Amino acid sequence: MANTKIYAVKKGRLTGLFNTWEECGKQVLGFPGAIFKSFPTEEEARAWLSGVPESVSLFPDDAGTAKPAPHSDSPAPAAEDKPPADYTVYTDGSCLRNPDGPGGYAAVIISTQDGEIREITGGEPSTTNNRMELRAGIEALRALPPHSTVSFCTDSQYMKNGFTNYWLRNWKRNGWKTAKGEPVKNQDLWRALDEVLSLHTVRFRWVPGHTGNRWNERCDELARSEAAKFL
């Protein structure tokens, strides 16, 4: 009889659900304080992962239905039963004539240790909004020291669904093909994001855009400014 175990990783290089021990082991072996467990069904594994209130991992159970962030100059709060993240990251992407128009991306990185704030920006003359959202996440995570714990905040439904709807996990399992057997769009950037995610422990948080969150608004401003440089 085939092994039908599902492995859930609550703390590791990458959190979420994995179909094989090989995949799970890459995330937990040699990782200090790793927390993981195997289950006979996906439902039980997801229930165990979602047992941490307000904590949204890369493959959460609640589809990322986060409440709008209050207007605040402070980073998004960490879950009460989780230690503070090393960094809080906000990202955003913009395309002024989507698709194939001038675009920009931006990230704000806030250090928990000393409150240092860094801004990362860039752009392309012809791109799409989704590609800029992905670029923002990739460049932000590349800028962090390896093995950082990150509270990652984005207002992108596209990026959110890559995790909360299991897109990324399923694409990898299907050889980077969609459920219809078609090549995944923006595969180059999804692969790059997947690679850099493996270097960190990421707590994914979806933040609705344009709701008064200072850092989300700042990313939007910077991304639009970068896109405007190509007009």
Side-chain angles (χ1 to χ4, degrees), residues 22-39:
E22 181 181 6
E23 293 177 310
C24 177
K26 291 178 181 179
Q27 316 310 324
V28 301
L29 294 178
F31 190 93
I35 300 174
F36 60 98
K37 191 174 181 180
S38 65
F39 296 87

Side-chain angles (χ1 to χ4, degrees), residues 134 158 162 171 176 185-194:
L134 293 173
Y158 180 63
W171 290 337
W176 293 97
K185 291 183 179 180
N186 303 315
Q187 182 180 147
D188 57 330
L189 296 182
W190 279 111
R191 283 177 176 268
L193 181 60
D194 181 49

Side-chain angles (χ1 to χ4, degrees), residues 57-73:
S57 64
L58 291 176
F59 304 113
D61 183 65
D62 63 358
T65 52
K67 296 179 180 179
H71 179 76
S72 173
D73 291 350

Side-chain angles (χ1 to χ4, degrees), residues 186-203:
N186 303 315
Q187 182 180 147
D188 57 330
L189 296 182
W190 279 111
R191 283 177 176 268
L193 181 60
D194 181 49
E195 181 179 356
V196 74
L197 281 170
S198 69
L199 302 177
H200 307 292
T201 299
V202 178
R203 303 171 190 164

Side-chain angles (χ1 to χ4, degrees), residues 5-219:
K5 282 187 178 180
I6 298 293
Y7 298 88
V9 178
K10 190 172 290 187
K11 182 178 180 182
R13 296 181 181 89
L14 182 66
T15 60
L17 304 182
F18 301 88
N19 292 319
T20 67
W21 167 246
E22 181 181 6
E23 293 177 310
C24 177
K26 291 178 181 179
Q27 316 310 324
V28 301
L29 294 178
F31 190 93
I35 300 174
F36 60 98
K37 191 174 181 180
S38 65
F39 296 87
T41 67
E42 181 172 327
E43 289 74 19
E44 290 176 74
R46 293 175 65 187
W48 181 73
L49 275 182
S50 64
V52 181
E54 298 300 319
S55 175
V56 184
S57 64
L58 291 176
F59 304 113
D61 183 65
D62 63 358
T65 52
K67 296 179 180 179
H71 179 76
S72 173
D73 291 350
S74 302
E80 292 181 359
D81 55 354
K82 291 273 191 177
D86 300 320
Y87 298 93
T88 297
V89 171
Y90 287 84
T91 65
D92 200 11
S94 175
C95 185
L96 300 185
R97 291 193 296 269
N98 192 54
D100 300 323
Y105 63 85
V108 173
I109 301 173
I110 306 168
S111 170
T112 301
Q113 182 175 6
D114 56 17
E116 178 189 12
I117 298 173
R118 286 185 287 164
E119 295 179 345
I120 295 176
T121 60
E124 298 177 11
S126 181
T127 186
T128 68
N129 184 72
N130 285 339
R131 288 187 68 82
M132 292 295 92
E133 295 283 3
L134 293 173
R135 278 291 305 277
I138 292 165
E139 300 304 328
L141 293 174
R142 280 177 175 171
L144 300 178
H147 310 303
S148 295
T149 301
V150 185
S151 179
F152 188 96
C153 308
T154 178
D155 64 3
S156 168
Q157 288 281 349
Y158 180 63
M159 185 178 291
K160 175 184 79 69
N161 288 335
F163 305 117
T164 61
N165 288 349
Y166 302 92
W167 288 357
L168 181 58
R169 188 196 68 177
N170 292 337
W171 290 337
K172 292 169 62 179
R173 184 174 58 193
N174 296 334
W176 293 97
K177 297 289 183 64
T178 67
K180 296 181 179 180
E182 301 172 350
V184 172
K185 291 183 179 180
N186 303 315
Q187 182 180 147
D188 57 330
L189 296 182
W190 279 111
R191 283 177 176 268
L193 181 60
D194 181 49
E195 181 179 356
V196 74
L197 281 170
S198 69
L199 302 177
H200 307 292
T201 299
V202 178
R203 303 171 190 164
F204 183 83
R205 300 179 67 89
W206 183 68
V207 179
H210 308 294
T211 55
N213 182 286
R214 173 183 179 182
W215 303 117
N216 176 263
E217 298 289 350
R218 177 59 175 165
C219 285

